[in-house]
Amino acid sequence: MEFPHATMPQTLRVFEIQNGLVISETGQQDADDFAADFQGLRHFADRVGASLELGNSLYAALHEPEFTFMFLLPPDAQAQPSRATGAMISANVSNNELLVSLRAQQGQG
């Protein structure tokens, strides 16, 4: 999937977590980077959710000028999810754009 609004179309890199393993079609380094970012962002999102008494996070996003990162857990996710979906893109895109793409990857339309 490409995001045409950026100066150059940027390719979305999609990741899956299956039984604790990160799977990426773009290589092991991307999978390792995603795994580290996922753990850190999920921990932070869960801490904020607990502080606000909202419970555990089902998704979170990180925006930087040069990239955007997001993960999406299924509604029944446990502390150690057996499945999840995530994405990275080398552009600052909206949460909505990534959320729609990840839901489509999960078959949630």
Side-chain angles (χ1 to χ4, degrees):
M1 170 171 283
E2 292 187 357
F3 289 86
H5 75 279
T7 307
M8 291 178 29
Q10 301 295 321
T11 301
L12 180 69
R13 294 175 286 165
V14 176
F15 303 88
E16 292 183 47
I17 297 175
Q18 295 179 1
N19 299 318
L21 297 174
V22 176
I23 299 168
S24 169
E25 292 182 5
T26 58
Q28 188 61 45
Q29 185 62 52
D30 273 352
D32 293 346
D33 292 346
F34 176 84
D37 290 343
F38 169 75
Q39 291 295 335
L41 184 57
R42 183 161 189 226
H43 175 76
F44 178 74
D46 285 348
R47 297 283 303 223
V48 170
S51 296
L52 298 173
E53 298 180 2
L54 298 173
N56 292 334
S57 61
L58 293 180
Y59 88 96
L62 173 66
H63 296 269
E64 294 287 338
E66 299 84 23
F67 75 93
T68 305
F69 170 86
M70 178 182 276
F71 71 82
L72 177 64
L73 300 173
D76 60 350
Q78 304 299 316
Q80 293 297 319
S82 61
R83 60 188 170 90
T85 306
M88 295 170 59
I89 187 167
S90 297
N92 191 348
V93 299
S94 73
N95 281 358
N96 188 54
E97 287 177 285
L98 282 181
L99 196 54
V100 167
S101 297
L102 290 178
R103 285 200 169 145
Q105 288 290 323
Q106 285 186 331
Q108 298 177 3

